[in-house]
Amino acid sequence: MKIRRFSATAFAAALLIPGLAACNGNGTSDASATPSAGASGSVAPSATASGSAAKQALLDSTNAIREGNFRFAMTGAGSTAEGQVHQPSQSAEMRMTIGDPSSDLMMKLDLIHAKPDSWVKLELGGTAATQIPGVKNLNTGKYQHLDQSRIKGNRALGFDFEKIDPAGSAVLTQGITDVRQSGEGAYEGTVDVSKAAEAGSLDPAVITALGAQAQSVPFTAKVDPQGRLSELVLKIPAAGQSAAQDVKITYSDYGAAAAAQKPSADQVVEAPPELYNLFN
């Protein structure tokens, strides 16, 4: 098996890297996360909204995300990511998992950002892990402090507090081409993801492989009683070497997320060159 370097977005690094997702042998995934209602926000849309009104409701549902205080979870291709963003403290944490110990390659990432610093704890497992250069220097069991000059612009290891949504739901909802309200706080329709390469929940390589299918990807969405986005599911069709899959994004605890906790000094080492090589 060829181990590919990591060059996609943070979520793609954990979910949709073709070289890793192929190891899982699992093209679809379902999640059971149920977001909780958070602090007060915008008023929920009418149960009869349809067409342009339904699209506007979904566009408005992402406004609270920009306030930068929420928890999130994402699933797809047999992998998961979850964490919280806390803009008031300029901190965020993301925990990501690809596969499981029985997979050819299993990867776990625990990323902590507390501006101006970042740390990552990496765990690599599976039979293919031995093929990764310097794996012993990567599986330290400690948080590895990241040199900001070496991860600047790196969408796998870095975090942009100007673009705080790891999933990019605002970008995705702007691409909605057809939508109707299917129930109280529930929507379904299609979205053009061909212009959504910046959304962290989709690998640009998958978008390219979809071709014309990228212009009408089915989706479902839910909003909470305050009209804030609580769930978005993209039903990605099979394309190229990628099997059909559901990418599920959930949001919860609006206005009530906690600040990320910095690792203690005795749990920190400086990141080795092998780490930067792996993610460049």
Side-chain angles (χ1 to χ4, degrees):
M1 170 186 169
K2 180 180 179 181
I3 303 297
R4 300 187 183 184
R5 292 173 184 262
F6 297 81
S7 59
T9 63
F11 183 48
L15 291 186
L16 301 174
I17 296 168
L20 293 180
C23 298
N24 297 331
N26 184 357
T28 60
S29 175
D30 188 22
S32 59
T34 303
S36 61
S40 61
S42 57
V43 177
S46 165
T48 60
S50 62
S52 60
K55 180 174 180 177
Q56 189 60 52
L58 289 180
L59 290 172
D60 293 344
S61 74
T62 66
N63 290 340
I65 297 174
R66 289 194 288 273
E67 296 176 9
N69 193 330
F70 58 88
R71 295 187 60 81
F72 68 91
M74 297 183 277
T75 62
S79 303
T80 64
E82 64 175 358
Q84 71 263 10
V85 176
H86 192 254
Q87 181 77 302
S89 64
Q90 293 279 276
S91 69
E93 182 171 9
M94 288 172 274
R95 295 167 296 279
M96 312 177 192
T97 302
I98 295 176
D100 55 60
S102 63
S103 304
D104 289 341
L105 181 63
M106 181 273 294
M107 180 179 74
K108 292 184 178 181
L109 282 169
D110 186 347
L111 277 159
I112 297 176
H113 304 282
K115 202 171 182 178
D117 291 300
S118 299
W119 302 263
V120 61
K121 182 190 289 185
L122 179 65
E123 179 184 346
L124 295 163
T127 57
T130 58
Q131 300 178 41
I132 298 176
V135 65
K136 291 182 179 179
N137 292 331
L138 299 172
N139 278 346
T140 64
K142 292 191 174 186
Y143 285 93
Q144 300 182 32
H145 182 254
L146 298 169
D147 181 343
Q148 295 298 308
S149 68
R150 300 188 69 172
I151 65 170
K152 186 176 182 179
N154 187 312
R155 298 174 69 187
L157 295 177
F159 188 83
D160 187 350
F161 282 95
E162 299 299 319
K163 300 177 181 179
I164 56 175
D165 181 10
S169 291
V171 176
L172 290 168
T173 54
Q174 287 170 10
I176 290 174
T177 54
D178 180 63
V179 61
R180 69 178 185 86
Q181 188 161 1
S182 56
E184 186 68 35
Y187 300 83
E188 61 182 28
T190 56
V191 57
D192 182 353
V193 300
S194 64
K195 298 180 177 64
E198 291 185 4
S201 49
L202 292 177
D203 183 352
V206 172
I207 296 175
T208 299
L210 285 172
Q213 294 183 97
Q215 298 175 17
S216 57
V217 171
F219 80 91
T220 61
K222 296 179 182 178
V223 300
D224 68 13
Q226 287 74 41
R228 301 167 301 196
L229 186 65
S230 60
E231 178 183 294
L232 178 63
V233 180
L234 302 173
K235 299 182 179 297
I236 309 296
Q241 296 181 343
S242 300
Q245 60 183 284
D246 286 357
V247 174
K248 182 175 181 179
I249 307 160
T250 62
Y251 298 91
S252 62
D253 293 338
Y254 284 106
Q261 298 299 306
K262 299 179 182 180
S264 59
D266 63 338
Q267 289 298 309
V268 174
V269 296
E270 286 299 318
E274 290 88 348
L275 181 75
Y276 300 108
N277 292 337
L278 184 66
F279 285 88
N280 287 331

